[in-house]
mmCIF file of all heavy atoms in Angstrom:
data_model
loop_
_atom_site.group_PDB
_atom_site.id
_atom_site.type_symbol
_atom_site.label_atom_id
_atom_site.label_comp_id
_atom_site.label_asym_id
_atom_site.label_seq_id
_atom_site.Cartn_x
_atom_site.Cartn_y
_atom_site.Cartn_z
ATOM 1 N N ILE A 257 113.957 97.366 93.693
ATOM 2 C CA ILE A 257 113.140 97.236 92.483
ATOM 3 C C ILE A 257 111.698 97.549 92.854
ATOM 4 O O ILE A 257 111.112 96.907 93.733
ATOM 5 C CB ILE A 257 113.238 95.813 91.907
ATOM 6 C CG1 ILE A 257 114.674 95.476 91.547
ATOM 7 C CG2 ILE A 257 112.325 95.661 90.703
ATOM 8 C CD1 ILE A 257 115.268 96.351 90.454
ATOM 9 N N SER A 258 111.120 98.520 92.171
ATOM 10 C CA SER A 258 109.753 98.900 92.455
ATOM 11 C C SER A 258 108.765 97.907 91.839
ATOM 12 O O SER A 258 109.126 97.127 90.954
ATOM 13 C CB SER A 258 109.471 100.302 91.912
ATOM 14 O OG SER A 258 109.503 100.303 90.493
ATOM 15 N N ARG A 259 107.529 97.976 92.295
ATOM 16 C CA ARG A 259 106.484 97.100 91.738
ATOM 17 C C ARG A 259 106.289 97.377 90.252
ATOM 18 O O ARG A 259 106.097 96.449 89.463
ATOM 19 C CB ARG A 259 105.174 97.308 92.503
ATOM 20 C CG ARG A 259 104.064 96.345 92.095
ATOM 21 C CD ARG A 259 102.762 96.689 92.802
ATOM 22 N NE ARG A 259 102.915 96.584 94.235
ATOM 23 C CZ ARG A 259 102.709 95.468 94.953
ATOM 24 N NH1 ARG A 259 102.387 94.347 94.318
ATOM 25 N NH2 ARG A 259 102.858 95.466 96.254
ATOM 26 N N ASP A 260 106.338 98.647 89.856
ATOM 27 C CA ASP A 260 106.134 98.997 88.457
ATOM 28 C C ASP A 260 107.245 98.422 87.588
ATOM 29 O O ASP A 260 106.991 97.841 86.508
ATOM 30 C CB ASP A 260 106.094 100.524 88.298
ATOM 31 C CG ASP A 260 105.879 100.949 86.848
ATOM 32 O OD1 ASP A 260 104.841 100.579 86.267
ATOM 33 O OD2 ASP A 260 106.752 101.643 86.299
ATOM 34 N N THR A 261 108.490 98.514 88.044
ATOM 35 C CA THR A 261 109.618 97.953 87.284
ATOM 36 C C THR A 261 109.488 96.441 87.187
ATOM 37 O O THR A 261 109.723 95.863 86.118
ATOM 38 C CB THR A 261 110.950 98.327 87.963
ATOM 39 O OG1 THR A 261 111.091 99.762 87.981
ATOM 40 C CG2 THR A 261 112.127 97.720 87.226
ATOM 41 N N TRP A 262 109.104 95.809 88.293
ATOM 42 C CA TRP A 262 108.932 94.349 88.286
ATOM 43 C C TRP A 262 107.868 93.930 87.281
ATOM 44 O O TRP A 262 108.092 93.028 86.452
ATOM 45 C CB TRP A 262 108.558 93.871 89.678
ATOM 46 C CG TRP A 262 108.280 92.397 89.772
ATOM 47 C CD1 TRP A 262 107.077 91.779 89.529
ATOM 48 C CD2 TRP A 262 109.202 91.354 90.077
ATOM 49 N NE1 TRP A 262 107.186 90.412 89.678
ATOM 50 C CE2 TRP A 262 108.488 90.118 90.027
ATOM 51 C CE3 TRP A 262 110.548 91.316 90.408
ATOM 52 C CZ2 TRP A 262 109.086 88.902 90.276
ATOM 53 C CZ3 TRP A 262 111.150 90.100 90.670
ATOM 54 C CH2 TRP A 262 110.427 88.912 90.607
ATOM 55 N N ASN A 263 106.707 94.566 87.334
ATOM 56 C CA ASN A 263 105.615 94.194 86.433
ATOM 57 C C ASN A 263 105.944 94.485 84.971
ATOM 58 O O ASN A 263 105.627 93.686 84.086
ATOM 59 C CB ASN A 263 104.331 94.942 86.835
ATOM 60 C CG ASN A 263 103.775 94.469 88.171
ATOM 61 O OD1 ASN A 263 104.092 93.367 88.640
ATOM 62 N ND2 ASN A 263 102.943 95.285 88.783
ATOM 63 N N MET A 264 106.597 95.591 84.723
ATOM 64 C CA MET A 264 106.910 95.983 83.351
ATOM 65 C C MET A 264 107.988 95.101 82.723
ATOM 66 O O MET A 264 108.031 94.977 81.490
ATOM 67 C CB MET A 264 107.334 97.447 83.297
ATOM 68 C CG MET A 264 106.228 98.443 83.577
ATOM 69 S SD MET A 264 104.912 98.388 82.310
ATOM 70 C CE MET A 264 105.739 99.131 80.927
ATOM 71 N N PHE A 265 108.814 94.481 83.539
ATOM 72 C CA PHE A 265 109.852 93.629 82.963
ATOM 73 C C PHE A 265 109.233 92.423 82.260
ATOM 74 O O PHE A 265 109.766 91.958 81.242
ATOM 75 C CB PHE A 265 110.844 93.154 84.033
ATOM 76 C CG PHE A 265 111.948 92.312 83.469
ATOM 77 C CD1 PHE A 265 112.950 92.871 82.684
ATOM 78 C CD2 PHE A 265 111.984 90.941 83.704
ATOM 79 C CE1 PHE A 265 113.964 92.085 82.148
ATOM 80 C CE2 PHE A 265 112.991 90.143 83.161
ATOM 81 C CZ PHE A 265 113.994 90.726 82.385
ATOM 82 N N LEU A 266 108.131 91.915 82.777
ATOM 83 C CA LEU A 266 107.451 90.815 82.104
ATOM 84 C C LEU A 266 106.973 91.271 80.717
ATOM 85 O O LEU A 266 107.135 90.551 79.727
ATOM 86 C CB LEU A 266 106.265 90.320 82.935
ATOM 87 C CG LEU A 266 105.436 89.183 82.317
ATOM 88 C CD1 LEU A 266 106.299 87.955 82.063
ATOM 89 C CD2 LEU A 266 104.245 88.837 83.215
ATOM 90 N N ASN A 267 106.416 92.467 80.638
ATOM 91 C CA ASN A 267 106.005 93.026 79.333
ATOM 92 C C ASN A 267 107.217 93.222 78.423
ATOM 93 O O ASN A 267 107.138 92.994 77.213
ATOM 94 C CB ASN A 267 105.290 94.365 79.542
ATOM 95 C CG ASN A 267 104.016 94.220 80.357
ATOM 96 O OD1 ASN A 267 103.430 93.140 80.424
ATOM 97 N ND2 ASN A 267 103.589 95.307 81.000
ATOM 98 N N PHE A 268 108.319 93.627 79.014
ATOM 99 C CA PHE A 268 109.548 93.858 78.261
ATOM 100 C C PHE A 268 110.030 92.570 77.603
ATOM 101 O O PHE A 268 110.404 92.545 76.425
ATOM 102 C CB PHE A 268 110.630 94.407 79.209
ATOM 103 C CG PHE A 268 111.937 94.698 78.545
ATOM 104 C CD1 PHE A 268 112.194 95.947 77.966
ATOM 105 C CD2 PHE A 268 112.947 93.748 78.509
ATOM 106 C CE1 PHE A 268 113.404 96.208 77.370
ATOM 107 C CE2 PHE A 268 114.166 94.006 77.908
ATOM 108 C CZ PHE A 268 114.407 95.241 77.346
#
Side-chain angles (χ1 to χ4, degrees):
I257 300 297
S258 67
R259 186 185 299 272
D260 180 59
T261 299
W262 176 274
N263 291 340
M264 290 296 288
F265 182 72
L266 179 60
N267 298 337
F268 181 89

